[in-house]
Amino acid sequence: MPVEEKVFFEDQPGRKFDRCMANGIVKGGGGFVVGAVISLLFLRRRVWPILLGTGFGIGVAYKTCEKDLESFK
């Protein structure tokens, strides 16, 4: 049976920021992998699909983070 942790209000922005950083790493890495696969399979090893995929992943993570942290304004 899990024990519920009491989360103080002061800790909530830190936890959300940590979640945002983890989300950025995961989505940026996913975009990197998708861009690398597309580059290797279809575009004769060009760099721009990797950069574009990584940028899209980080952009989506940034937008999600911005939405999550907006509640603290």
Side-chain angles (χ1 to χ4, degrees), residues 52-66:
L52 188 67
T54 304
F56 279 152
I58 291 173
V60 168
Y62 177 80
K63 189 66 177 171
T64 305
C65 184
E66 189 177 40

Side-chain angles (χ1 to χ4, degrees), residues 2-13:
V3 177
E4 291 186 28
E5 275 186 47
K6 186 174 183 180
V7 179
F8 295 106
F9 181 75
E10 296 85 15
D11 294 336
Q12 289 178 356

Side-chain angles (χ1 to χ4, degrees), residues 8-9 18-19 23 26 31 33-34 36-37 42 50 52-53 59 66-67 73:
F8 295 106
F9 181 75
D18 290 344
R19 192 175 330 135
N23 197 10
V26 168
V33 169
V34 169
V37 167
F42 302 115
I50 297 171
L52 188 67
E66 189 177 40
K67 183 180 163 193
K73 288 185 180 179

